[in-house]
């Protein structure tokens, strides 16, 4: 399958969240290579997020996305790949 286009993902996120208040909209979207899973360590057996594991794996991508927003604040949401 072809890799998702970041511009299309950003446009879809803007359309889906258009009626939300600005503070409720995502600022950064990280495109993960695989879905979160229990085996991958990102989810508990109750399917809750393991935030520490997610930040350890995707923290650099999140930092990159927020740094880009500092330079271009109107480009919401910022879509990045790890």
């Amino acid at each position: 399958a072809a890799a998702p286009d970041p511009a299309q993902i950003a446009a879809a996120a803007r359309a889906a969240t258009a009626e939300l208040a600005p503070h409720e909209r995502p600022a950064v979207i990280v495109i993960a290579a695989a879905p979160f899973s229990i085996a991958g360590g990102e989810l508990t057996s109750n399917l809750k997020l393991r935030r520490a594991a997610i930040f350890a794996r995707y923290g650099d991508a999140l930092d990159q996305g927020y740094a880009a927003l500092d330079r271009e604040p109107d480009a919401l949401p910022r879509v990045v790949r790890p």
Side-chain angles (χ1 to χ4, degrees):
D5 177 34
Q8 289 178 330
I9 292 171
R14 278 192 298 277
T17 61
E19 294 186 19
L20 297 176
H23 69 276
E24 296 175 310
R25 297 178 193 150
V28 176
I29 298 172
V30 176
I31 302 173
F36 291 173
S37 68
I38 296 168
E42 301 95 358
L43 298 175
T44 68
S45 59
N46 291 331
L47 302 181
K48 294 180 182 176
L49 296 175
R50 291 189 186 267
R51 294 181 190 278
I54 292 168
F55 287 126
R57 186 167 294 152
Y58 300 105
D60 289 343
L62 288 166
D63 290 342
Q64 173 190 351
Y66 281 106
L69 285 176
D70 288 342
R71 294 187 304 272
E72 220 178 320
D74 294 329
L76 287 174
R78 175 65 61 180
V79 179
V80 295
R81 291 191 170 105

